Amino acid sequence: MRSRTIPPSRKPVNSSRTELEQSVTEVFTDKYGAVPACVVSAPGRVNLIGEHTDYNDGFVLPAAINRATAIAASPRPDHSLLIHAENLGATMLLDLKDLHPRKTGSWSNYPAGVAHFLLKQGITLRGATMVIRGDIPRGAGLSSSAALEVASAYAFLTLNEVTMPPLDVIKLCQRAENDFVGVKCGIMDQFISCLGKKDHALLIDCRSLDYVHVPFPAGVHLIVCDTGVKRALASSEYNKRREECAAGVCCLASRIPGIQMLRDVTPGHLMEFGELLDPVVLKRCRHVVTENDRVTRSVDALRANDLVQFGNLMYASHASLRDNYEVSCPELDAVVEICSRVDGVLGTRMTGAGFGGCAICLVREVYTDAVIERLQREYPPRTGKTPGITVCTFEQGVTVSSA
Ligand code: GLA
Protein backbone atom coordinates (compact mmCIF):
# COMPACT_ATOMS: atom_id res chain seq x y z
CA MET A 1 0.00 0.00 0.00
CA ARG A 2 1.19 3.49 -0.81
CA SER A 3 -0.38 6.57 0.69
CA ARG A 4 0.68 10.14 0.10
CA THR A 5 -0.79 13.48 0.88
CA ILE A 6 -0.59 16.53 -1.37
CA PRO A 7 -2.35 19.88 -0.92
CA PRO A 8 -6.00 19.73 -2.06
CA SER A 9 -6.73 21.20 -5.47
CA ARG A 10 -7.71 24.86 -5.49
CA LYS A 11 -10.20 24.33 -8.28
CA PRO A 12 -13.65 25.30 -6.95
CA VAL A 13 -16.06 22.37 -6.89
CA ASN A 14 -19.26 23.34 -8.61
CA SER A 15 -22.56 22.14 -7.29
CA SER A 16 -23.95 21.36 -10.73
CA ARG A 17 -23.78 17.65 -11.43
CA THR A 18 -22.65 18.05 -15.04
CA GLU A 19 -19.89 20.43 -14.04
CA LEU A 20 -18.80 18.05 -11.29
CA GLU A 21 -18.63 15.22 -13.82
CA GLN A 22 -16.68 17.42 -16.22
CA SER A 23 -14.24 18.46 -13.54
CA VAL A 24 -13.57 14.89 -12.35
CA THR A 25 -12.96 13.94 -15.98
CA GLU A 26 -10.48 16.81 -16.35
CA VAL A 27 -8.61 15.84 -13.20
CA PHE A 28 -8.43 12.22 -14.38
CA THR A 29 -7.21 13.23 -17.83
CA ASP A 30 -4.59 15.64 -16.45
CA LYS A 31 -3.31 13.09 -13.97
CA TYR A 32 -3.31 9.93 -16.06
CA GLY A 33 -2.98 11.28 -19.60
CA ALA A 34 -6.10 9.63 -21.06
CA VAL A 35 -9.84 10.15 -20.84
CA PRO A 36 -11.59 7.86 -18.33
CA ALA A 37 -13.56 4.86 -19.59
CA CYS A 38 -16.55 5.87 -17.46
CA VAL A 39 -17.81 8.63 -15.22
CA VAL A 40 -20.32 7.90 -12.46
CA SER A 41 -22.00 10.33 -10.12
CA ALA A 42 -24.17 9.52 -7.11
CA PRO A 43 -26.06 12.14 -5.09
CA GLY A 44 -26.28 12.89 -1.38
CA ARG A 45 -29.68 13.15 0.26
CA VAL A 46 -31.94 14.90 2.68
CA ASN A 47 -34.51 12.92 4.58
CA LEU A 48 -37.81 14.80 4.58
CA ILE A 49 -39.28 12.67 7.36
CA GLY A 50 -38.90 9.17 8.85
CA GLU A 51 -35.77 9.42 10.99
CA HIS A 52 -34.25 6.39 12.71
CA THR A 53 -37.03 4.24 11.30
CA ASP A 54 -35.13 2.43 8.54
CA TYR A 55 -33.31 -0.01 10.84
CA ASN A 56 -36.62 -0.69 12.58
CA ASP A 57 -38.14 -1.98 9.31
CA GLY A 58 -40.18 1.22 9.07
CA PHE A 59 -40.88 3.95 6.52
CA VAL A 60 -38.68 6.81 5.28
CA LEU A 61 -39.14 9.68 2.83
CA PRO A 62 -35.75 10.90 1.57
CA ALA A 63 -34.90 12.86 -1.61
CA ALA A 64 -31.65 12.94 -3.62
CA ILE A 65 -30.13 16.43 -3.75
CA ASN A 66 -27.98 18.57 -6.02
CA ARG A 67 -24.77 17.57 -4.27
CA ALA A 68 -22.93 14.48 -5.44
CA THR A 69 -19.81 12.37 -5.51
CA ALA A 70 -18.38 11.70 -8.96
CA ILE A 71 -15.87 9.03 -9.98
CA ALA A 72 -13.92 8.90 -13.23
CA ALA A 73 -12.47 5.44 -13.82
CA SER A 74 -10.58 3.26 -16.29
CA PRO A 75 -9.51 -0.36 -16.12
CA ARG A 76 -5.89 -1.31 -15.33
CA PRO A 77 -4.00 -4.34 -16.60
CA ASP A 78 -3.07 -5.50 -13.06
CA HIS A 79 -4.93 -6.38 -9.83
CA SER A 80 -4.61 -3.03 -8.15
CA LEU A 81 -6.94 -0.16 -7.40
CA LEU A 82 -5.24 3.20 -7.75
CA ILE A 83 -7.69 5.66 -6.20
CA HIS A 84 -7.15 9.39 -5.96
CA ALA A 85 -9.46 11.47 -3.75
CA GLU A 86 -9.21 14.94 -5.28
CA ASN A 87 -10.93 16.77 -2.39
CA LEU A 88 -8.45 15.31 0.09
CA GLY A 89 -5.41 15.42 -2.15
CA ALA A 90 -4.75 11.79 -1.21
CA THR A 91 -3.99 8.72 -3.29
CA MET A 92 -4.17 5.04 -2.27
CA LEU A 93 -2.92 1.97 -4.07
CA LEU A 94 -4.83 -1.16 -2.98
CA ASP A 95 -4.45 -4.78 -3.98
CA LEU A 96 -7.69 -6.44 -5.09
CA LYS A 97 -6.34 -9.72 -3.70
CA ASP A 98 -5.80 -8.24 -0.24
CA LEU A 99 -8.64 -5.90 0.64
CA HIS A 100 -9.18 -5.21 4.31
CA PRO A 101 -10.38 -2.19 6.32
CA ARG A 102 -7.63 0.33 6.98
CA LYS A 103 -7.32 2.94 9.69
CA THR A 104 -5.22 5.37 7.69
CA GLY A 105 -6.85 6.62 4.53
CA SER A 106 -10.18 5.46 5.88
CA TRP A 107 -11.98 7.13 2.96
CA SER A 108 -10.64 4.31 0.80
CA ASN A 109 -12.59 1.81 2.95
CA TYR A 110 -15.76 2.78 1.06
CA PRO A 111 -14.63 1.81 -2.46
CA ALA A 112 -12.53 -1.04 -1.02
CA GLY A 113 -15.53 -2.38 0.94
CA VAL A 114 -17.70 -2.31 -2.16
CA ALA A 115 -15.03 -4.09 -4.22
CA HIS A 116 -14.62 -6.66 -1.42
CA PHE A 117 -18.32 -7.59 -1.44
CA LEU A 118 -18.52 -7.64 -5.26
CA LEU A 119 -15.64 -10.13 -5.24
CA LYS A 120 -17.38 -12.13 -2.49
CA GLN A 121 -20.41 -12.44 -4.75
CA GLY A 122 -18.20 -14.15 -7.30
CA ILE A 123 -17.81 -11.16 -9.62
CA THR A 124 -14.38 -10.97 -11.23
CA LEU A 125 -12.95 -7.47 -11.01
CA ARG A 126 -10.16 -6.02 -13.13
CA GLY A 127 -7.84 -3.48 -11.60
CA ALA A 128 -8.95 0.14 -11.87
CA THR A 129 -7.62 3.67 -11.79
CA MET A 130 -10.08 6.10 -10.25
CA VAL A 131 -10.42 9.76 -9.39
CA ILE A 132 -13.08 10.78 -6.87
CA ARG A 133 -14.38 14.30 -6.55
CA GLY A 134 -17.48 15.52 -4.72
CA ASP A 135 -19.35 18.49 -3.34
CA ILE A 136 -21.28 16.83 -0.50
CA PRO A 137 -19.89 18.25 2.74
CA ARG A 138 -18.41 15.38 4.76
CA GLY A 139 -19.79 14.68 8.23
CA ALA A 140 -22.77 16.98 7.63
CA GLY A 141 -25.37 14.22 7.58
CA LEU A 142 -26.06 14.46 3.83
CA SER A 143 -24.82 10.92 3.11
CA SER A 144 -21.50 11.53 1.47
CA SER A 145 -20.53 7.97 2.50
CA ALA A 146 -23.47 6.31 0.77
CA ALA A 147 -22.87 8.42 -2.35
CA LEU A 148 -19.25 7.24 -2.44
CA GLU A 149 -20.30 3.61 -2.03
CA VAL A 150 -22.93 3.83 -4.75
CA ALA A 151 -20.64 5.68 -7.17
CA SER A 152 -17.89 3.11 -6.50
CA ALA A 153 -20.27 0.19 -7.06
CA TYR A 154 -21.45 1.51 -10.43
CA ALA A 155 -17.89 2.35 -11.48
CA PHE A 156 -16.76 -1.24 -10.76
CA LEU A 157 -19.84 -2.72 -12.42
CA THR A 158 -19.43 -0.55 -15.52
CA LEU A 159 -15.70 -1.22 -15.93
CA ASN A 160 -16.31 -4.96 -15.61
CA GLU A 161 -19.42 -4.95 -17.82
CA VAL A 162 -21.57 -6.48 -15.11
CA THR A 163 -25.22 -5.55 -14.64
CA MET A 164 -26.88 -5.88 -11.27
CA PRO A 165 -30.43 -4.94 -10.20
CA PRO A 166 -30.43 -1.66 -8.21
CA LEU A 167 -31.82 -3.34 -5.09
CA ASP A 168 -28.87 -5.72 -5.05
CA VAL A 169 -26.45 -2.81 -5.47
CA ILE A 170 -28.17 -1.00 -2.59
CA LYS A 171 -27.92 -4.02 -0.28
CA LEU A 172 -24.30 -4.61 -1.24
CA CYS A 173 -23.38 -0.97 -0.49
CA GLN A 174 -25.14 -1.13 2.87
CA ARG A 175 -23.25 -4.32 3.64
CA ALA A 176 -19.94 -2.63 2.74
CA GLU A 177 -20.73 0.13 5.22
CA ASN A 178 -21.97 -2.27 7.95
CA ASP A 179 -19.34 -4.97 7.69
CA PHE A 180 -16.28 -3.36 6.11
CA VAL A 181 -16.39 0.28 7.17
CA GLY A 182 -18.01 -0.79 10.47
CA VAL A 183 -20.97 1.61 10.68
CA LYS A 184 -24.27 -0.15 11.35
CA CYS A 185 -26.41 2.19 9.22
CA GLY A 186 -29.82 1.32 7.80
CA ILE A 187 -30.62 1.08 4.10
CA MET A 188 -32.10 4.54 3.41
CA ASP A 189 -29.03 6.44 2.24
CA GLN A 190 -27.81 3.91 -0.31
CA PHE A 191 -31.41 3.44 -1.52
CA ILE A 192 -32.05 7.10 -2.30
CA SER A 193 -28.59 7.63 -3.81
CA CYS A 194 -29.43 4.88 -6.33
CA LEU A 195 -33.10 5.51 -6.94
CA GLY A 196 -33.71 9.24 -6.48
CA LYS A 197 -35.81 10.98 -9.12
CA LYS A 198 -35.83 14.62 -10.27
CA ASP A 199 -38.41 16.69 -8.36
CA HIS A 200 -39.57 13.68 -6.33
CA ALA A 201 -39.13 12.28 -2.86
CA LEU A 202 -38.97 8.50 -2.37
CA LEU A 203 -41.22 6.62 0.03
CA ILE A 204 -39.41 3.44 1.06
CA ASP A 205 -40.86 0.57 3.02
CA CYS A 206 -37.67 -0.63 4.69
CA ARG A 207 -39.15 -4.08 5.39
CA SER A 208 -40.46 -5.11 1.98
CA LEU A 209 -38.09 -2.71 0.15
CA ASP A 210 -41.07 -1.58 -1.94
CA TYR A 211 -40.76 2.03 -2.95
CA VAL A 212 -42.70 4.73 -4.73
CA HIS A 213 -41.68 8.16 -5.99
CA VAL A 214 -43.80 10.98 -4.61
CA PRO A 215 -43.88 14.24 -6.63
CA PHE A 216 -42.79 17.26 -4.67
CA PRO A 217 -45.08 20.26 -5.10
CA ALA A 218 -43.98 23.46 -6.84
CA GLY A 219 -43.93 26.83 -5.10
CA VAL A 220 -41.82 25.80 -2.10
CA HIS A 221 -38.11 25.58 -1.41
CA LEU A 222 -36.23 23.23 0.83
CA ILE A 223 -33.42 25.03 2.62
CA VAL A 224 -30.64 22.92 4.09
CA CYS A 225 -28.73 24.48 6.96
CA ASP A 226 -25.47 22.87 8.05
CA THR A 227 -25.00 23.62 11.75
CA GLY A 228 -21.24 23.28 11.44
CA VAL A 229 -21.33 20.65 14.20
CA LYS A 230 -19.57 17.50 13.01
CA ARG A 231 -21.36 14.35 14.03
CA ALA A 232 -18.61 13.23 16.42
CA LEU A 233 -20.75 11.13 18.76
CA ALA A 234 -22.80 9.78 15.94
CA SER A 235 -21.64 6.22 15.48
CA SER A 236 -21.51 5.19 19.15
CA GLU A 237 -24.81 6.87 20.01
CA TYR A 238 -26.35 5.59 16.76
CA ASN A 239 -25.48 2.01 17.68
CA LYS A 240 -26.80 2.60 21.20
CA ARG A 241 -30.17 3.71 19.80
CA ARG A 242 -30.32 0.57 17.68
CA GLU A 243 -29.71 -1.53 20.78
CA GLU A 244 -32.38 0.33 22.73
CA CYS A 245 -34.90 -0.33 19.95
CA ALA A 246 -33.97 -4.02 19.94
CA ALA A 247 -34.34 -4.13 23.74
CA GLY A 248 -37.83 -2.63 23.39
CA VAL A 249 -38.90 -5.28 20.88
CA CYS A 250 -37.42 -8.04 23.01
CA CYS A 251 -39.40 -6.95 26.05
CA LEU A 252 -42.66 -6.28 24.19
CA ALA A 253 -42.46 -9.62 22.36
CA SER A 254 -43.37 -11.38 25.60
CA ARG A 255 -46.79 -9.65 25.43
CA ILE A 256 -47.35 -9.08 21.71
CA PRO A 257 -46.86 -12.38 19.91
CA GLY A 258 -45.21 -12.30 16.50
CA ILE A 259 -43.58 -8.88 16.61
CA GLN A 260 -40.16 -8.78 14.98
CA MET A 261 -39.26 -5.10 14.92
CA LEU A 262 -40.68 -1.76 16.14
CA ARG A 263 -42.45 -1.58 12.78
CA ASP A 264 -44.92 -4.10 14.21
CA VAL A 265 -45.66 -2.07 17.34
CA THR A 266 -48.61 0.36 17.41
CA PRO A 267 -49.27 3.40 19.63
CA GLY A 268 -51.97 1.26 21.31
CA HIS A 269 -49.41 -1.42 22.18
CA LEU A 270 -47.23 1.21 23.84
CA MET A 271 -50.19 2.50 25.86
CA GLU A 272 -51.01 -0.99 27.01
CA PHE A 273 -47.55 -2.42 27.66
CA GLY A 274 -45.33 0.68 27.92
CA GLU A 275 -44.92 0.37 31.66
CA LEU A 276 -43.05 -2.89 31.18
CA LEU A 277 -40.27 -1.00 29.44
CA ASP A 278 -37.35 0.84 30.90
CA PRO A 279 -38.36 4.56 30.69
CA VAL A 280 -35.54 5.44 28.27
CA VAL A 281 -36.36 2.48 26.04
CA LEU A 282 -40.02 3.51 26.11
CA LYS A 283 -39.10 6.98 24.84
CA ARG A 284 -37.04 5.49 22.00
CA CYS A 285 -39.92 3.18 21.06
CA ARG A 286 -42.39 6.05 21.24
CA HIS A 287 -40.32 8.02 18.73
CA VAL A 288 -40.07 5.18 16.21
CA VAL A 289 -43.73 4.16 16.47
CA THR A 290 -45.04 7.72 16.09
CA GLU A 291 -42.49 8.58 13.38
CA ASN A 292 -43.63 5.70 11.19
CA ASP A 293 -47.15 7.03 11.47
CA ARG A 294 -45.95 10.54 10.60
CA VAL A 295 -44.30 9.30 7.40
CA THR A 296 -47.52 7.71 6.20
CA ARG A 297 -49.47 10.85 7.01
CA SER A 298 -46.85 13.07 5.35
CA VAL A 299 -47.15 11.19 2.10
CA ASP A 300 -50.94 11.57 2.24
CA ALA A 301 -50.45 15.29 2.86
CA LEU A 302 -48.04 15.65 -0.07
CA ARG A 303 -50.40 13.83 -2.38
CA ALA A 304 -53.23 16.12 -1.28
CA ASN A 305 -50.91 19.15 -1.70
CA ASP A 306 -51.53 19.94 1.97
CA LEU A 307 -48.19 21.54 2.76
CA VAL A 308 -49.39 22.98 6.05
CA GLN A 309 -50.07 19.49 7.35
CA PHE A 310 -46.79 18.24 5.90
CA GLY A 311 -44.94 21.05 7.70
CA ASN A 312 -46.69 20.30 10.99
CA LEU A 313 -45.53 16.71 10.76
CA MET A 314 -41.95 17.96 10.23
CA TYR A 315 -42.18 20.01 13.43
CA ALA A 316 -43.60 17.02 15.31
CA SER A 317 -40.82 14.80 13.99
CA HIS A 318 -38.19 17.23 15.26
CA ALA A 319 -39.79 17.46 18.69
CA SER A 320 -39.84 13.69 18.98
CA LEU A 321 -36.22 13.35 17.85
CA ARG A 322 -35.23 15.99 20.40
CA ASP A 323 -37.30 14.78 23.36
CA ASN A 324 -37.86 11.05 22.84
CA TYR A 325 -34.95 9.88 20.73
CA GLU A 326 -32.55 12.50 22.11
CA VAL A 327 -30.44 12.84 18.97
CA SER A 328 -30.75 16.59 18.43
CA CYS A 329 -28.29 19.17 19.77
CA PRO A 330 -28.55 22.86 20.75
CA GLU A 331 -27.40 24.02 17.29
CA LEU A 332 -30.01 21.94 15.44
CA ASP A 333 -32.67 23.17 17.86
CA ALA A 334 -31.50 26.75 17.25
CA VAL A 335 -31.91 26.41 13.46
CA VAL A 336 -35.37 24.92 13.91
CA GLU A 337 -36.41 27.63 16.35
CA ILE A 338 -35.07 30.50 14.20
CA CYS A 339 -36.74 29.18 11.03
CA SER A 340 -40.03 28.52 12.79
CA ARG A 341 -40.42 32.25 13.54
CA VAL A 342 -40.14 33.35 9.89
CA ASP A 343 -43.29 33.99 7.83
CA GLY A 344 -43.87 31.50 5.06
CA VAL A 345 -42.07 28.62 6.83
CA LEU A 346 -44.20 25.49 6.69
CA GLY A 347 -42.03 23.14 8.68
CA THR A 348 -38.47 22.51 9.82
CA ARG A 349 -36.57 19.67 11.45
CA MET A 350 -33.20 18.03 11.81
CA THR A 351 -32.36 15.55 9.04
CA GLY A 352 -30.20 12.42 9.14
CA ALA A 353 -28.77 10.70 12.19
CA GLY A 354 -28.54 13.87 14.32
CA PHE A 355 -25.95 14.94 16.94
CA GLY A 356 -25.07 17.81 14.59
CA GLY A 357 -25.15 17.89 10.82
CA CYS A 358 -28.01 19.58 9.01
CA ALA A 359 -31.54 20.83 9.57
CA ILE A 360 -34.03 21.37 6.74
CA CYS A 361 -36.68 24.02 6.35
CA LEU A 362 -39.65 23.91 3.99
CA VAL A 363 -40.65 27.42 3.01
CA ARG A 364 -42.93 29.11 0.51
CA GLU A 365 -40.65 30.30 -2.29
CA VAL A 366 -41.10 34.04 -1.80
CA TYR A 367 -39.93 33.78 1.82
CA THR A 368 -36.71 31.88 1.09
CA ASP A 369 -34.47 34.94 1.28
CA ALA A 370 -36.05 35.97 4.57
CA VAL A 371 -35.17 32.58 6.12
CA ILE A 372 -31.59 32.78 4.86
CA GLU A 373 -31.21 36.32 6.16
CA ARG A 374 -32.56 35.38 9.60
CA LEU A 375 -30.31 32.35 9.90
CA GLN A 376 -27.28 34.40 8.90
CA ARG A 377 -28.17 37.09 11.43
CA GLU A 378 -29.37 35.02 14.41
CA TYR A 379 -27.52 31.70 14.26
CA PRO A 380 -23.91 32.90 14.75
CA PRO A 381 -24.47 34.92 17.96
CA ARG A 382 -26.49 32.05 19.45
CA THR A 383 -24.02 29.31 18.67
CA GLY A 384 -20.66 30.88 17.82
CA LYS A 385 -20.84 29.07 14.47
CA THR A 386 -21.45 30.05 10.86
CA PRO A 387 -24.41 28.33 9.19
CA GLY A 388 -23.82 26.63 5.82
CA ILE A 389 -26.98 27.40 3.88
CA THR A 390 -28.08 25.85 0.57
CA VAL A 391 -31.39 25.85 -1.25
CA CYS A 392 -31.55 22.33 -2.54
CA THR A 393 -33.26 20.78 -5.52
CA PHE A 394 -34.34 17.16 -5.83
CA GLU A 395 -32.35 15.23 -8.40
CA GLN A 396 -32.08 11.84 -9.98
CA GLY A 397 -30.08 9.04 -8.40
CA VAL A 398 -26.84 7.58 -9.68
CA THR A 399 -25.91 8.21 -13.33
CA VAL A 400 -23.27 6.49 -15.44
CA SER A 401 -21.69 7.60 -18.70
CA SER A 402 -19.19 5.48 -20.60
CA ALA A 403 -16.69 6.67 -23.18
C1 GLA B 1 -28.07 7.68 9.02
C2 GLA B 1 -28.13 6.23 8.54
C3 GLA B 1 -29.50 5.91 7.97
C4 GLA B 1 -30.62 6.30 8.94
C5 GLA B 1 -30.42 7.72 9.45
C6 GLA B 1 -31.39 8.09 10.53
O1 GLA B 1 -28.18 8.54 7.93
O2 GLA B 1 -27.14 6.00 7.57
O3 GLA B 1 -29.58 4.55 7.64
O4 GLA B 1 -30.71 5.38 9.99
O5 GLA B 1 -29.11 7.93 9.95
O6 GLA B 1 -32.69 8.14 10.03
Side-chain angles (χ1 to χ4, degrees):
M1 179 199 75
R2 184 159 55 92
S3 170
R4 74 193 159 88
T5 305
I6 54 169
S9 156
R10 296 271 154 82
K11 259 189 201 167
V13 173
N14 198 296
S15 63
S16 136
R17 203 75 169 256
T18 318
E19 286 175 31
L20 182 64
E21 289 167 2
Q22 278 165 0
S23 90
V24 81
T25 305
E26 271 168 35
V27 175
F28 187 100
T29 311
D30 286 354
K31 242 179 132 45
Y32 300 111
V35 289
C38 71
V39 177
V40 180
S41 68
R45 63 103 187 89
V46 289
N47 188 16
L48 297 176
I49 197 158
E51 219 64 85
H52 291 278
T53 45
D54 61 351
Y55 53 83
N56 288 298
D57 272 5
F59 299 98
V60 290
L61 188 66
I65 58 171
N66 50 330
R67 297 288 184 116
T69 298
I71 297 183
S74 284
R76 289 171 66 82
D78 57 17
H79 285 105
S80 53
L81 297 178
L82 177 65
I83 313 178
H84 174 71
E86 177 67 5
N87 300 66
L88 304 174
T91 305
M92 291 285 268
L93 184 66
L94 308 173
D95 183 350
L96 273 173
K97 292 188 170 151
D98 179 29
L99 292 174
H100 54 266
R102 286 163 204 269
K103 282 208 179 79
T104 50
S106 59
W107 57 271
S108 68
N109 286 338
Y110 297 97
V114 168
H116 172 81
F117 283 108
L118 286 168
L119 291 166
K120 258 195 122 174
Q121 289 205 2
I123 294 170
T124 309
L125 295 183
R126 309 152 86 181
T129 302
M130 295 176 151
V131 172
I132 304 170
R133 182 169 216 185
D135 59 8
I136 311 170
R138 292 198 312 150
L142 299 177
S143 289
S144 58
S145 312
L148 178 52
E149 289 151 10
V150 169
S152 303
Y154 277 91
F156 289 128
L157 291 169
T158 308
L159 291 183
N160 293 282
E161 294 167 36
V162 177
T163 49
M164 192 184 262
L167 278 180
D168 291 350
V169 177
I170 291 164
K171 287 187 226 164
L172 185 135
C173 290
Q174 184 198 13
R175 192 147 174 231
E177 180 136 2
N178 287 175
D179 299 338
F180 197 92
V181 177
V183 177
K184 300 288 173 201
C185 63
I187 202 163
M188 167 172 72
D189 304 344
Q190 293 77 9
F191 215 115
I192 184 64
S193 190
C194 278
L195 291 171
K197 182 173 170 185
K198 177 110 190 109
D199 298 329
H200 287 68
L202 184 68
L203 172 65
I204 308 167
D205 177 335
C206 298
R207 169 167 280 169
S208 64
L209 303 187
D210 289 341
Y211 60 92
V212 59
H213 291 103
V214 184
F216 206 74
V220 285
H221 277 151
L222 194 83
I223 298 173
V224 180
C225 178
D226 185 350
T227 57
V229 179
K230 296 280 171 217
R231 301 173 306 133
L233 264 177
S235 59
S236 61
E237 286 293 328
Y238 185 91
N239 291 342
K240 203 163 143 199
R241 295 299 180 283
R242 289 194 71 141
E243 284 159 21
E244 287 162 345
C245 292
V249 173
C250 189
C251 180
L252 291 168
S254 63
R255 298 301 172 94
I256 320 165
I259 61 164
Q260 306 285 329
M261 301 293 274
L262 284 180
R263 155 72 172 268
D264 305 311
V265 176
T266 65
H269 288 142
L270 287 186
M271 295 265 280
E272 199 176 343
F273 304 116
E275 62 190 21
L276 299 174
L277 299 174
D278 168 273
V280 171
V281 170
L282 175 58
K283 286 208 285 185
R284 308 301 189 239
C285 295
R286 185 168 290 136
H287 166 72
V288 175
V289 170
T290 56
E291 185 79 350
N292 273 328
D293 179 53
R294 280 188 286 273
V295 178
T296 316
R297 289 197 287 145
S298 299
V299 172
D300 292 343
L302 270 190
R303 287 183 173 139
N305 209 13
D306 186 350
L307 292 177
V308 172
Q309 166 71 348
F310 187 84
N312 287 338
L313 291 161
M314 289 175 76
Y315 283 121
S317 169
H318 185 78
S320 177
L321 287 157
R322 182 190 60 211
D323 302 336
N324 292 324
Y325 221 63
E326 297 179 283
V327 292
S328 188
C329 65
E331 291 84 355
L332 283 167
D333 295 342
V335 173
V336 167
E337 199 276 322
I338 294 166
C339 291
S340 69
R341 284 189 281 102
V342 184
D343 283 347
V345 168
L346 294 151
T348 166
R349 60 182 288 276
M350 53 158 274
T351 190
F355 311 105
C358 291
I360 53 173
C361 170
L362 183 69
V363 58
R364 295 200 191 279
E365 243 170 52
V366 285
Y367 294 95
T368 302
D369 290 345
V371 173
I372 295 173
E373 190 272 320
R374 285 282 274 280
L375 282 169
Q376 280 167 340
R377 181 152 47 90
E378 294 184 22
Y379 183 77
R382 269 174 76 160
T383 59
K385 297 188 165 62
T386 311
I389 305 170
T390 331
V391 179
C392 77
T393 54
F394 295 167
E395 302 297 330
Q396 76 183 102
V398 64
T399 52
V400 179
S401 55
S402 311

